[in-house]
Amino acid sequence: MSKKQTPSDFLKQITGKPVLVKLNSGADYRGILMCLDGYMNIALEQTEEYMNGELRNKYGDTLIRGNNVLYISTQKKKDVVLFE
């Protein structure tokens, strides 16, 4: 039988990886999860801000206050197609 994964285990596994952070306002932030604390304050690098699926802005480092976070999910890498 497999071991159950806690939310804390999940967050430790995705640190340093691409994530999607959905805010209560409806905005999406996509970037590399660098760290978070017990209040769910989140530090992202290489952050992109999306509203209604449309890219609004790009930031280097971003700090998101935890009480604004609706959820965090892993972000799959985009497929890159090269044309010759």
Side-chain angles (χ1 to χ4, degrees):
M1 197 168 212
S2 66
K3 179 183 168 189
K4 288 188 178 181
Q5 185 178 24
T6 66
S8 179
D9 293 337
F10 169 72
L11 294 170
K12 287 177 187 173
Q13 286 180 346
I14 65 171
T15 300
K17 296 183 179 171
V19 295
L20 166 67
V21 180
K22 180 78 167 182
L23 302 187
N24 296 326
S25 67
D28 293 341
Y29 285 84
R30 299 175 189 176
I32 308 298
L33 177 64
M34 298 316 298
C35 63
L36 56 110
D37 64 14
Y39 296 103
M40 287 296 290
N41 296 317
I42 299 170
L44 298 177
E45 287 185 350
Q46 302 172 21
T47 310
E48 297 177 336
E49 177 185 33
Y50 290 84
M51 188 61 108
N52 299 321
E54 182 180 321
L55 178 63
R56 293 291 183 164
N57 214 335
K58 291 185 178 186
Y59 306 102
D61 297 336
T62 305
L63 178 64
I64 301 172
R65 189 172 173 182
N67 66 342
N68 294 314
V69 176
L70 185 60
Y71 66 82
I72 301 172
S73 69
T74 56
Q75 179 182 333
K76 295 180 181 177
K77 292 183 181 179
K78 296 177 184 174
D79 292 335
V80 178
V81 179
L82 300 175
F83 295 97
E84 294 183 16

